[in-house]
Amino acid sequence: MKFLAVPIVKNRLAFYCHSTSPTVSRITQLVDWSNKKWSELGQAKPETWKKRLYDKGDDILKRQDYREVFLKEIPTKEHLASPIEKATLVHALDISPEVIQHDLRRLVQERLPYHKKYMYRSAYWVPVACTFAIVPLIPNIPLAYNLFRLYSHYKAYKGAQHLHDLLENGQIQYKEVQGVPVETLASPETLEFPKSLVDEYRASAKLHYHDFDTEIPGVLSKTTIQHLAAQHPELPSLETEVMRTRNQMLYAIFKDRMK
């Protein structure tokens, strides 16, 4: 199992995890099968209900909270064929392991109760969603969504538990990586957003995560993220997930600034 930690702006870290450890979980096998079926929906012809359903669902997936996505990628400890002895965390040269550990511990402390709470809430709504299965030919969208959220919260909850154990048992070893210009990053308080974004928000009060998918001075650049992904081909989806974190973090900083 391998982690990566890079700063998006000063004092705001993006985390990524990838594991190739084999699991013995039938749930994981079922989810893999479901993911395959979901991908097949994306190959449907344009203008069909299948394609519209896929596009809508894909948009929801892209808006998943970056912290939840990170924790979901940490394998459930009880589902591993063999326990993990050591995990490697690759981090920017100027970020100390102590800072990383502090941020990870805070993440675990915040997200464990959060995902536990919403895991139970999602489970509560599953029986209610089953009542929507009136017409067999029409997919039960509420049930599918609630099952997805139930599993997502469960995976994030178990991932947070596993991360907690790795931290407490000293099972994470740290490895520095060069090429991340930490000294050029601005703090959230001093970050200056493009005037076009500010004007657009003041005119409509509406912005989306993808509106921040652009180069902004003082923010970890897209070029640097692409370079990191090229350096670590063993970490698939690294670029996609770090960009998700980057855009969502910037969106949150911007919204807080415009209050």
Side-chain angles (χ1 to χ4, degrees):
M1 181 162 58
K2 199 167 189 176
F3 295 95
L4 180 129
V6 291
I8 301 300
V9 293
K10 283 184 180 178
N11 305 321
R12 298 286 180 91
L13 293 177
F15 292 105
Y16 171 83
C17 176
H18 177 64
S19 174
T20 56
S21 303
T23 71
V24 293
S25 169
R26 291 189 177 274
I27 295 178
T28 302
Q29 296 170 2
L30 176 61
V31 170
D32 289 342
W33 176 84
S34 300
N35 288 337
K36 181 181 177 181
K37 292 297 182 182
W38 177 254
S39 297
E40 290 175 0
L41 272 184
Q43 305 304 315
K45 294 180 180 180
E47 305 305 324
T48 63
W49 68 265
K50 290 184 178 181
K51 182 61 176 175
R52 289 196 296 270
L53 174 63
Y54 175 84
D55 289 342
K56 185 64 176 178
D58 192 52
D59 182 59
I60 293 173
L61 290 174
K62 288 178 179 177
R63 287 186 277 129
Q64 267 194 287
D65 187 280
Y66 63 91
R67 293 159 295 189
E68 180 177 328
V69 173
F70 164 63
L71 292 173
K72 282 169 58 178
E73 292 304 314
I74 302 173
T76 301
K77 189 175 182 178
E78 297 84 353
H79 293 171
L80 293 174
S82 58
I84 292 174
E85 299 296 331
K86 283 286 183 181
T88 300
L89 192 150
V90 178
H91 62 95
L93 186 63
D94 294 332
I95 306 296
S96 70
E98 290 75 20
V99 169
I100 295 169
Q101 288 177 18
H102 174 269
D103 281 13
L104 287 175
R105 291 181 192 278
R106 184 176 61 184
L107 177 67
V108 168
Q109 185 179 20
E110 292 175 352
R111 303 304 286 190
L112 265 176
Y114 174 86
H115 290 297
K116 183 177 182 180
K117 173 183 176 180
Y118 284 97
M119 177 174 65
Y120 284 120
R121 283 196 179 185
S122 296
Y124 172 82
W125 283 105
V126 167
V128 178
C130 287
T131 62
F132 287 87
I134 300 174
V135 183
L137 295 179
I138 299 177
N140 190 337
I141 306 302
L143 177 61
Y145 178 77
N146 274 281
L147 288 174
F148 164 70
R149 295 307 297 145
L150 172 60
Y151 178 75
S152 189
H153 286 302
Y154 167 78
K155 276 289 292 171
Y157 177 72
K158 300 302 289 186
Q161 284 185 329
H162 195 178
L163 178 57
H164 173 269
D165 291 346
L166 292 172
L167 290 166
E168 292 302 309
N169 298 328
Q171 292 175 278
I172 299 179
Q173 56 188 10
Y174 298 86
K175 179 181 177 182
E176 296 176 344
V177 62
Q178 297 182 343
V180 180
V182 177
E183 68 281 357
T184 67
L185 301 180
S187 68
E189 295 76 21
T190 60
L191 182 63
E192 294 187 9
F193 289 97
K195 186 176 182 298
S196 58
L197 280 178
V198 177
D199 291 343
E200 181 181 347
Y201 181 77
R202 285 174 175 168
S204 65
K206 291 182 180 179
L207 279 178
H208 302 283
Y209 298 135
H210 60 75
D211 292 320
F212 297 87
D213 190 13
T214 184
E215 298 293 7
I216 300 175
V219 177
L220 185 69
S221 69
K222 296 168 65 176
T223 302
T224 300
I225 295 172
Q226 290 166 356
H227 179 66
L228 279 171
Q231 276 185 301
H232 298 280
E234 76 280 8
L235 301 177
S237 303
L238 186 153
E239 181 180 348
T240 299
E241 295 308 328
V242 175
M243 281 301 300
R244 178 207 300 270
T245 302
R246 178 187 184 273
N247 294 349
Q248 290 188 17
M249 275 189 180
L250 292 177
Y251 177 83
I253 294 170
F254 181 86
K255 291 280 285 187
D256 188 60
R257 182 83 59 81
M258 298 300 292
K259 286 181 180 179

